[in-house]
Amino acid sequence: MRADTAIMTQVNDKISTRIDGDIGFICSNNPPVNALGQAVRAGVVEALEALNADPAVKAIVLYCEGRTFFAGADITEFNKPRVPPTIQEMILALENSPKPVIAAIHGTALGGGFETALGCPFRVAIPSAKVGLPEINLGLFAGGGGTQRLPRIIGPEKALEFVLSGKPVSAAQALALGILDAVEEGAPDAIGAAFARRVIDEKLTAVPVSRRDDKIAATRADPSAFDALAAKLTARSKGQEAPAANVASVRRSFTLPFDEAMAIDAEANRALMAGSQSRALRHLFFAEREAARIPGLPEGAKARDVAKAAIIGAGTMGGGIAMCFAGAGIPVAVIDTTQEALDRGMERVRTNYATSVKRGSISQAQMDERLALITPAVDRAAVADADVVIEAVFEDMAVKQEIFADIEKRVKPGTVLASNTSALDVDEIASVLERPGDFVGMHFFSPANVMKLLEVVKAAKTSPEAILTAMAVGRRIGKMPILSGNCDGFIGNRMVAKRSAQAERLLQQGAFPQQVDAALTNLGFPMGPLTTNDMSGLDIGYSIRKRRGTPFPIADAIVESGQLGQKTGSGYYRYEPGDRTPRPNPQTEALILETSKRLGIERRDMSESEMVERLLFPLINEGARIIEEGIALRPSDVDLVWINGYGWPRHLGGPMFHADEAGLPHIVARLRAFAADTPGDPSLQPAALLVELAEKGQGFSEWQKSRAAN
Ligand code: COA
């Protein structure tokens, strides 16, 4: 579209302008995602002034080079002093421009980027573009006028759904909602110019969005539907600040004049940004991107292509893993020893899919497509053309070793051989292999088709290519892969063991199950640790403790009384038939009292804050050891393990983030007190790294940054 006559002017290193006939263009080039940093904002304002001052220009197209239209405010500027012009000021300049501005969108116009487009009188996009206000995912709301302008285009109720979901919508959906004026194939500047032509020739005008009233008038007259919707959509966001702040801000769109609402928005968003919840969510945004980087691998090491997969074991885990591959469009063989086991496994997969169809999360056609990608087989020969084979059979070393020794002979060279073990030594499994470099742990979490966490476990001889392949295929099948070294329990379960030990001790010393669980659910955890144990089955932990000779007197007594959790109708709690609501269990409470007595422990009242610290600080301490031993690459990886696999609420950032917020000196002092109180448990002594950082007045986050910089 760039005519030869167009003269390009570089406004600054991010923004340029050109004029082609009577159309002016403002172009941003700020890789990777055209974030609206200060130079971009200042450049856009300056370019706009220049084009408005040029009498030849009749309409202006705003577009971006590279992979996307502005993908939002520059998140890295959030912690720094603001340098004008602000996004709000830039958007007002666009909205009040004497010459009409057409935003021409490609890629993802998100947050401040979408708000910029909403400020332009006209908006066009290419079909693959998406627009959205994902600020809620960062603990904020769209403070650049998104929560004020969007309701004026699509009505407050739809706007509320839009901002609370945080999910982008497609260009076609945006067009249908009236957010876009046109969707056309072509280069962004070309479709922008074509629309500008129409604006000029047909003398199209648009009332600036901030001055429109028609879509908000009905809600202003009767907000009851809005309020009911707000209550429904925020019912499950207990303890989170951002959902309520989004509701309040959208509400201001129909209760206050635009300028007043904007002024309050600015204050409210500033407060959210300074708060710990938004800090936590921003921390996770960067943590998720950082987790894919594996330092220290040889240059040129690459993931291998994965076109086909095979799973050994058609149990709940194997079937769930197969569903992940099928969901990503990768053909997968599921292999088990008997037809009966396979049939049972495939039936479970079918039932899971049918439930998703019923819920509307996938269509019947998608279910059929996915099922067609899963091939059941009784013969291990089905691994022959797989690029990755994942073993998901029960935890028995001899069985796993036999499987790997056998399939190694049946696969192509270079096929990655992975074990889903959660409890066995990956080096011992790999010891039977002739090509241990191709072996890696891939520890999925149950239910594997739902849980996002994938611990990729590096055995001593795992090759860089096998690590990279497991990490890459993990992302492809929708998981959050985190690299872990080999140790008992890897990252997550090794830490959770410390929490379980504390939960047991709290029960011995005076608490009842509902108090222990409430300490964490009141913080925002979806489920307490003892309810979780009841759900998974108490026999699992029992048999591990027996094997290791580490008794938990109360937990063991519950199992020995025949109560195994939900599956037997009672455990820490009692369950009514067909109902998973945990209710106080008098039989277990009696067992708890008896056990305390037998152990000679005088039961005492405990505050909720004591229980929280006892449940969380020892696991944080173990996290610090896992980091200092190099089992986890970095503190933020440990946070992601807990967020994606153990129900740690996102707005609380994960254990190592929480440690920084609580203050490491406080944690060290509390751990020393716990250790003094429990002489038999040396693991409660604060980890060396924790003590070192506390003494230096640093946090894990600073430590991670300083290591990344070196
Ligand atoms: N500010 C600063 N940096 C940003 C950014 C932003 N708004 N959005 C993305 N980046 C950075 C990422 O950190 C990453 O940097 P890295 O390569 O150093 O890790 C890089 O841009 C590419 O982002 P990535 O997410 O890896 O690319 P993608 O193509 O998978 O996704 C987006 C692109 C835009 C969809 C995604 O980055 C995103 O959702 N960004 C946040 C958008 C947002 O929340 N905007 C509202 C902020 S107010």
Side-chain angles (χ1 to χ4, degrees):
M1 177 62 203
R2 251 171 242 182
D4 293 339
T5 51
I7 300 163
M8 199 174 95
T9 309
Q10 204 65 44
V11 176
N12 59 26
D13 64 341
K14 318 276 185 205
I15 302 294
S16 62
T17 60
R18 68 176 197 277
I19 300 171
D20 192 358
D22 51 3
I23 301 175
F25 294 82
I26 302 175
C27 173
S28 167
N29 187 3
N30 183 27
V33 297
N34 280 303
L36 284 156
Q38 197 274 338
V40 173
R41 303 190 303 266
V44 168
V45 172
E46 197 182 325
L48 190 65
E49 281 167 5
L51 293 175
N52 271 319
D54 190 322
V57 174
K58 298 226 166 54
I60 299 163
V61 174
L62 173 65
Y63 76 103
C64 294
E65 294 273 9
R67 64 202 231 209
T68 178
F69 192 76
F70 308 111
D74 187 336
I75 303 172
T76 59
E77 282 185 0
F78 281 8
N79 303 326
K80 299 177 188 158
R82 294 161 158 253
V83 184
T86 61
I87 288 197
Q88 291 86 334
E89 287 161 351
M90 180 195 76
I91 295 173
L92 275 180
L94 291 164
E95 192 171 50
N96 295 327
S97 161
K99 295 175 186 172
V101 183
I102 296 105
I105 301 170
H106 76 294
T108 40
L110 300 178
F114 181 39
E115 292 174 297
T116 301
L118 291 175
C120 296
F122 299 100
R123 293 166 290 281
V124 298
I126 64 169
S128 59
K130 288 187 176 162
V131 301
L133 294 174
E135 279 80 353
I136 192 162
N137 301 327
L138 300 174
L140 304 168
F141 61 88
T147 41
Q148 303 309 322
R149 288 193 178 86
L150 192 60
R152 288 173 162 83
I153 300 179
I154 64 175
E157 288 80 12
K158 282 198 187 121
L160 188 66
E161 285 180 6
F162 195 99
V163 297
L164 288 179
S165 90
K167 292 202 181 94
V169 302
S170 68
Q173 286 168 300
L175 183 69
L177 284 165
I179 293 170
L180 295 175
D181 297 290
V183 176
E184 302 287 349
E185 289 282 2
D189 54 344
I191 65 156
F195 199 84
R197 189 76 272 132
R198 282 186 55 201
V199 171
I200 298 166
D201 294 349
E202 297 170 31
K203 302 198 169 29
L204 301 181
T205 56
V207 178
V209 177
S210 66
R211 274 168 250 160
R212 291 193 207 163
D213 194 52
D214 52 318
K215 286 288 194 315
I216 54 176
T219 313
R220 181 184 296 138
D222 177 8
S224 56
F226 177 88
D227 290 337
L229 182 67
K232 184 177 138 210
L233 295 178
T234 54
R236 296 181 60 176
S237 50
K238 199 178 80 177
Q240 298 173 41
E241 292 163 358
N246 270 271
V247 172
S249 174
V250 175
R251 209 166 199 292
R252 286 191 281 273
S253 72
F254 57 86
T255 55
L256 291 176
F258 180 84
D259 291 342
E260 269 178 51
M262 285 295 288
I264 298 177
D265 275 2
E267 270 313 303
N269 230 358
R270 246 196 298 280
L272 285 175
M273 204 174 286
S276 104
Q277 296 195 3
S278 173
R279 260 205 313 279
L281 291 161
R282 272 142 46 203
H283 159 72
L284 294 175
F285 176 86
F286 290 111
E288 282 161 2
R289 281 148 185 85
E290 192 65 21
R293 288 189 250 271
I294 317 280
L297 297 185
E299 218 172 296
K302 278 208 320 248
R304 297 181 189 141
D305 287 341
V306 173
K308 276 193 174 171
I311 315 292
I312 313 276
T316 313
M317 208 47 168
I321 300 171
M323 288 174 75
C324 301
F325 279 90
I330 305 172
V332 55
V334 178
I335 303 163
D336 212 316
T337 43
T338 65
Q339 189 61 45
E340 198 198 341
L342 271 181
D343 290 347
R344 231 178 309 130
M346 286 306 292
E347 194 44 46
R348 206 176 299 116
V349 168
R350 239 174 261 124
T351 310
N352 281 339
Y353 278 140
T355 309
S356 303
V357 172
K358 215 181 289 162
R359 279 208 204 111
S361 51
I362 61 168
S363 65
Q364 182 64 46
Q366 279 171 312
M367 165 170 170
D368 297 343
E369 266 165 40
R370 292 181 193 187
L371 272 175
L373 287 169
I374 306 178
T375 312
V378 275
D379 189 343
R380 284 188 191 162
V383 299
D385 58 352
D387 303 298
V388 56
V389 180
I390 301 173
E391 161 278 311
V393 305
F394 50 94
E395 299 282 16
D396 182 311
M397 181 58 76
V399 172
K400 289 189 195 261
Q401 286 182 331
E402 183 280 321
I403 289 174
F404 280 106
D406 178 51
I407 58 172
E408 182 181 40
K409 297 192 191 82
R410 299 172 181 265
V411 294
K412 309 180 287 190
T415 292
V416 169
L417 304 173
S419 172
N420 177 51
T421 186
S422 63
L424 300 179
D425 177 356
V426 287
D427 284 327
E428 201 178 333
I429 303 178
S431 66
V432 297
L433 292 172
E434 273 162 33
R435 287 183 276 123
D438 289 333
F439 177 84
V440 65
M442 285 178 82
H443 178 209
F444 290 81
F445 287 70
S446 189
N449 51 316
V450 177
M451 298 295 290
K452 279 197 69 123
L453 178 61
L454 169 65
E455 286 179 327
V456 171
V457 187
K458 180 183 172 312
K461 294 185 179 160
T462 304
S463 68
E465 287 76 17
I467 294 175
L468 290 170
T469 309
M471 297 290 289
V473 82
R475 287 226 173 205
R476 236 176 107 195
I477 62 175
K479 300 298 164 199
M480 173 52 63
I482 301 295
L483 189 65
S484 170
N486 182 22
C487 65
D488 189 5
F490 312 136
I491 300 173
N493 284 346
R494 177 168 156 186
M495 289 169 75
V496 104
K498 301 301 167 200
R499 187 178 71 182
S500 304
Q502 288 303 313
E504 167 73 20
R505 273 190 66 75
L506 289 172
L507 295 176
Q508 292 169 17
Q509 291 177 317
F512 286 109
Q514 47 278 30
Q515 292 167 299
V516 172
D517 281 345
L520 293 192
T521 53
N522 287 344
L523 262 190
F525 280 77
M527 202 183 267
L530 301 175
T531 307
T532 309
N533 290 353
D534 263 4
M535 199 176 74
S536 335
L538 302 182
D539 44 334
I540 302 177
Y542 181 77
S543 63
I544 296 175
R545 290 193 297 275
K546 282 274 148 209
R547 210 167 48 226
R548 294 192 179 149
T550 49
F552 277 9
I554 290 175
D556 295 348
I558 296 174
V559 171
E560 283 157 11
S561 72
Q563 306 184 90
L564 305 182
Q566 276 188 20
K567 60 186 168 191
T568 59
S570 67
Y572 285 104
Y573 299 93
R574 184 177 68 76
Y575 301 88
E576 300 284 340
D579 184 355
R580 289 163 176 241
T581 316
R583 294 161 209 272
N585 182 349
Q587 192 185 341
T588 291
E589 286 178 7
L591 271 178
I592 290 172
L593 295 176
E594 255 169 52
T595 311
S596 302
K597 202 163 162 194
R598 177 162 53 81
L599 297 173
I601 298 172
E602 192 161 335
R603 294 177 67 80
R604 62 178 172 87
D605 284 342
M606 280 177 218
S607 69
E608 189 156 299
S609 71
E610 177 186 349
M611 288 191 275
V612 168
E613 293 191 338
R614 294 262 306 267
L615 291 167
L616 299 188
F617 291 179
L619 79 82
I620 287 170
N621 194 32
E622 199 61 19
R625 284 205 183 91
I626 283 171
I627 293 160
E628 74 193 15
E629 288 168 21
I631 295 290
L633 285 175
R634 45 182 87 87
S636 64
D637 279 9
V638 175
D639 286 338
L640 289 174
V641 163
W642 277 78
I643 297 284
N644 292 288
Y646 296 86
W648 197 291
R650 283 186 75 84
H651 65 279
L652 302 183
M656 310 323 282
F657 176 87
H658 182 76
D660 282 357
E661 295 283 306
L664 302 193
H666 173 65
I667 295 184
V668 167
R670 295 299 292 142
L671 283 167
R672 286 190 172 134
F674 302 159
D677 187 45
T678 321
D681 188 352
S683 79
L684 291 171
Q685 288 297 345
L689 177 62
L690 199 53
V691 174
E692 181 197 320
L693 293 177
E695 282 171 0
K696 280 194 200 151
Q698 277 189 359
F700 287 105
S701 148
E702 269 170 291
W703 180 77
Q704 178 169 330
K705 275 192 203 122
S706 68
R707 285 185 28 129
N710 291 330

Short mmCIF file of all heavy atoms in Angstrom, two decimals, residues 32-33 35 67 71-76 78 108 110-112 134-135 138 285-286 289 293, ligand 1:
data_model
loop_
_atom_site.label_atom_id
_atom_site.label_comp_id
_atom_site.label_asym_id
_atom_site.label_seq_id
_atom_site.Cartn_x
_atom_site.Cartn_y
_atom_site.Cartn_z
N PRO A 32 8.60 -6.54 20.93
CA PRO A 32 7.94 -7.59 20.16
C PRO A 32 6.43 -7.40 19.99
O PRO A 32 5.87 -7.93 19.06
CB PRO A 32 8.20 -8.84 21.02
CG PRO A 32 8.34 -8.33 22.41
CD PRO A 32 8.95 -6.97 22.30
N VAL A 33 5.79 -6.62 20.89
CA VAL A 33 4.32 -6.61 20.85
C VAL A 33 3.74 -5.19 20.78
O VAL A 33 2.58 -4.98 21.08
CB VAL A 33 3.71 -7.40 22.04
CG1 VAL A 33 4.10 -8.86 21.99
CG2 VAL A 33 4.10 -6.79 23.39
N ALA A 35 4.10 -2.75 22.76
CA ALA A 35 3.60 -2.27 24.06
C ALA A 35 3.66 -0.74 24.05
O ALA A 35 4.55 -0.14 23.45
CB ALA A 35 4.43 -2.84 25.19
N ARG A 67 4.19 -8.14 14.69
CA ARG A 67 3.20 -9.19 14.82
C ARG A 67 1.86 -8.75 15.35
O ARG A 67 0.88 -9.50 15.28
CB ARG A 67 3.75 -10.35 15.65
CG ARG A 67 4.07 -10.02 17.08
CD ARG A 67 5.07 -11.05 17.56
NE ARG A 67 4.67 -11.67 18.80
CZ ARG A 67 5.55 -12.13 19.69
NH1 ARG A 67 6.84 -12.08 19.42
NH2 ARG A 67 5.14 -12.67 20.80
N ALA A 71 -0.27 -4.29 22.05
CA ALA A 71 -0.79 -5.38 22.91
C ALA A 71 -1.01 -4.92 24.34
O ALA A 71 -1.23 -5.73 25.22
CB ALA A 71 0.14 -6.57 22.87
N GLY A 72 -0.94 -3.62 24.57
CA GLY A 72 -1.26 -3.14 25.90
C GLY A 72 -0.25 -2.13 26.41
O GLY A 72 0.73 -1.80 25.73
N ALA A 73 -0.54 -1.68 27.64
CA ALA A 73 0.43 -0.82 28.32
C ALA A 73 1.72 -1.62 28.47
O ALA A 73 1.71 -2.84 28.40
CB ALA A 73 -0.12 -0.45 29.69
N ASP A 74 2.82 -0.91 28.65
CA ASP A 74 4.08 -1.61 28.86
C ASP A 74 4.15 -2.04 30.33
O ASP A 74 4.34 -1.21 31.21
CB ASP A 74 5.25 -0.69 28.49
CG ASP A 74 6.57 -1.45 28.53
OD1 ASP A 74 6.64 -2.48 29.24
OD2 ASP A 74 7.51 -1.02 27.85
N ILE A 75 3.99 -3.34 30.55
CA ILE A 75 3.89 -3.83 31.93
C ILE A 75 5.18 -3.56 32.70
O ILE A 75 5.17 -3.40 33.91
CB ILE A 75 3.53 -5.33 31.95
CG1 ILE A 75 2.22 -5.56 31.17
CG2 ILE A 75 3.36 -5.86 33.35
CD1 ILE A 75 1.87 -7.02 30.95
N THR A 76 6.28 -3.48 31.98
CA THR A 76 7.55 -3.24 32.69
C THR A 76 7.62 -1.81 33.24
O THR A 76 8.46 -1.51 34.07
CB THR A 76 8.76 -3.47 31.76
OG1 THR A 76 8.65 -2.58 30.64
CG2 THR A 76 8.83 -4.90 31.26
N PHE A 78 5.13 -0.48 34.89
CA PHE A 78 4.14 -0.35 35.97
C PHE A 78 4.77 0.04 37.31
O PHE A 78 4.15 0.69 38.13
CB PHE A 78 3.34 -1.64 36.15
CG PHE A 78 2.25 -1.83 35.13
CD1 PHE A 78 2.13 -0.98 34.04
CD2 PHE A 78 1.33 -2.85 35.27
CE1 PHE A 78 1.13 -1.16 33.10
CE2 PHE A 78 0.33 -3.04 34.33
CZ PHE A 78 0.23 -2.20 33.25
N THR A 108 -3.19 -8.89 18.23
CA THR A 108 -4.01 -8.83 19.44
C THR A 108 -4.01 -7.40 20.00
O THR A 108 -3.01 -6.97 20.55
CB THR A 108 -3.45 -9.79 20.52
OG1 THR A 108 -2.01 -9.69 20.48
CG2 THR A 108 -3.85 -11.22 20.27
N LEU A 110 -4.87 -5.55 22.81
CA LEU A 110 -5.26 -5.89 24.18
C LEU A 110 -5.07 -4.70 25.10
O LEU A 110 -4.20 -3.85 24.87
CB LEU A 110 -4.40 -7.05 24.69
CG LEU A 110 -4.50 -8.35 23.90
CD1 LEU A 110 -3.56 -9.40 24.49
CD2 LEU A 110 -5.94 -8.87 23.90
N GLY A 111 -5.87 -4.66 26.16
CA GLY A 111 -5.70 -3.66 27.19
C GLY A 111 -5.60 -2.26 26.61
O GLY A 111 -6.44 -1.83 25.82
N GLY A 112 -4.52 -1.56 26.98
CA GLY A 112 -4.31 -0.20 26.49
C GLY A 112 -4.35 -0.11 24.97
O GLY A 112 -4.72 0.92 24.41
N PRO A 134 -7.66 -7.67 28.97
CA PRO A 134 -7.26 -8.72 29.91
C PRO A 134 -6.73 -8.19 31.25
O PRO A 134 -6.15 -8.96 32.01
CB PRO A 134 -6.11 -9.41 29.14
CG PRO A 134 -5.51 -8.33 28.32
CD PRO A 134 -6.62 -7.36 28.00
N GLU A 135 -6.96 -6.91 31.54
CA GLU A 135 -6.37 -6.33 32.76
C GLU A 135 -6.70 -7.12 34.02
O GLU A 135 -5.91 -7.18 34.95
CB GLU A 135 -6.83 -4.88 32.93
CG GLU A 135 -6.06 -3.87 32.12
CD GLU A 135 -6.49 -3.78 30.67
OE1 GLU A 135 -7.31 -4.62 30.23
OE2 GLU A 135 -6.00 -2.88 29.98
N LEU A 138 -4.25 -9.27 35.37
CA LEU A 138 -3.11 -8.63 36.04
C LEU A 138 -3.57 -7.93 37.31
O LEU A 138 -2.87 -7.10 37.88
CB LEU A 138 -2.44 -7.62 35.10
CG LEU A 138 -1.88 -8.17 33.78
CD1 LEU A 138 -1.39 -7.03 32.89
CD2 LEU A 138 -0.74 -9.14 34.04
N PHE A 285 2.73 -13.37 35.29
CA PHE A 285 2.79 -13.12 33.84
C PHE A 285 4.22 -13.31 33.35
O PHE A 285 4.48 -14.02 32.38
CB PHE A 285 2.31 -11.68 33.54
CG PHE A 285 2.42 -11.28 32.09
CD1 PHE A 285 1.40 -11.59 31.20
CD2 PHE A 285 3.55 -10.62 31.61
CE1 PHE A 285 1.51 -11.24 29.85
CE2 PHE A 285 3.66 -10.27 30.27
CZ PHE A 285 2.63 -10.59 29.38
N PHE A 286 5.17 -12.70 34.05
CA PHE A 286 6.57 -12.84 33.62
C PHE A 286 7.11 -14.23 33.95
O PHE A 286 7.89 -14.80 33.18
CB PHE A 286 7.43 -11.72 34.22
CG PHE A 286 7.10 -10.37 33.62
CD1 PHE A 286 6.48 -9.38 34.34
CD2 PHE A 286 7.39 -10.12 32.28
CE1 PHE A 286 6.14 -8.16 33.76
CE2 PHE A 286 7.06 -8.90 31.68
CZ PHE A 286 6.44 -7.91 32.43
N ARG A 289 6.46 -16.78 31.26
CA ARG A 289 7.31 -16.66 30.07
C ARG A 289 8.73 -17.11 30.38
O ARG A 289 9.39 -17.75 29.58
CB ARG A 289 7.25 -15.22 29.56
CG ARG A 289 5.97 -15.02 28.77
CD ARG A 289 5.36 -13.65 28.84
NE ARG A 289 4.09 -13.68 28.14
CZ ARG A 289 2.93 -14.04 28.68
NH1 ARG A 289 2.88 -14.42 29.93
NH2 ARG A 289 1.82 -14.07 27.96
N ARG A 293 12.50 -20.78 29.57
CA ARG A 293 13.94 -20.59 29.29
C ARG A 293 14.76 -21.52 30.18
O ARG A 293 14.65 -21.50 31.40
CB ARG A 293 14.34 -19.14 29.56
CG ARG A 293 13.80 -18.18 28.52
CD ARG A 293 14.40 -16.79 28.73
NE ARG A 293 13.41 -15.86 29.21
CZ ARG A 293 12.63 -15.12 28.41
NH1 ARG A 293 12.71 -15.20 27.12
NH2 ARG A 293 11.75 -14.30 28.92
N1 COA B 1 4.29 -5.08 28.25
C1 COA B 1 5.59 -5.43 28.25
N2 COA B 1 6.04 -6.57 27.71
C2 COA B 1 5.13 -7.38 27.15
C3 COA B 1 3.76 -7.08 27.12
C4 COA B 1 3.35 -5.86 27.70
N3 COA B 1 2.07 -5.48 27.70
N4 COA B 1 3.11 -8.07 26.50
C5 COA B 1 4.04 -8.97 26.14
N5 COA B 1 5.26 -8.54 26.53
C6 COA B 1 6.53 -9.23 26.30
C7 COA B 1 6.58 -10.57 26.97
O1 COA B 1 7.04 -10.44 28.30
C8 COA B 1 7.56 -11.32 26.10
O2 COA B 1 8.85 -10.91 26.45
P1 COA B 1 10.06 -11.95 26.41
O3 COA B 1 10.14 -12.38 24.98
O4 COA B 1 11.20 -11.14 26.90
O5 COA B 1 9.63 -13.04 27.35
C9 COA B 1 7.28 -10.78 24.71
O6 COA B 1 6.61 -9.53 24.92
C10 COA B 1 6.41 -11.65 23.85
O7 COA B 1 5.24 -11.99 24.58
P2 COA B 1 4.65 -13.48 24.58
O8 COA B 1 3.51 -13.47 25.54
O9 COA B 1 5.74 -14.45 24.79
O10 COA B 1 4.15 -13.59 23.08
P3 COA B 1 2.83 -14.25 22.51
O11 COA B 1 2.87 -14.02 21.07
O12 COA B 1 2.65 -15.61 23.08
O13 COA B 1 1.62 -13.37 23.12
C11 COA B 1 0.40 -11.43 23.69
C12 COA B 1 1.48 -12.04 22.78
C13 COA B 1 0.34 -9.95 23.39
C14 COA B 1 -0.97 -12.07 23.44
C15 COA B 1 0.76 -11.66 25.17
O14 COA B 1 2.09 -11.24 25.37
C16 COA B 1 -0.09 -10.94 26.17
O15 COA B 1 -1.16 -11.41 26.53
N6 COA B 1 0.42 -9.80 26.67
C17 COA B 1 -0.21 -9.07 27.74
C18 COA B 1 -1.30 -8.24 27.22
C19 COA B 1 -1.92 -7.49 28.36
O16 COA B 1 -2.21 -7.99 29.42
N7 COA B 1 -2.13 -6.23 28.08
C20 COA B 1 -2.75 -5.39 29.01
C21 COA B 1 -1.71 -4.68 29.75
S1 COA B 1 -2.45 -3.22 30.39
#
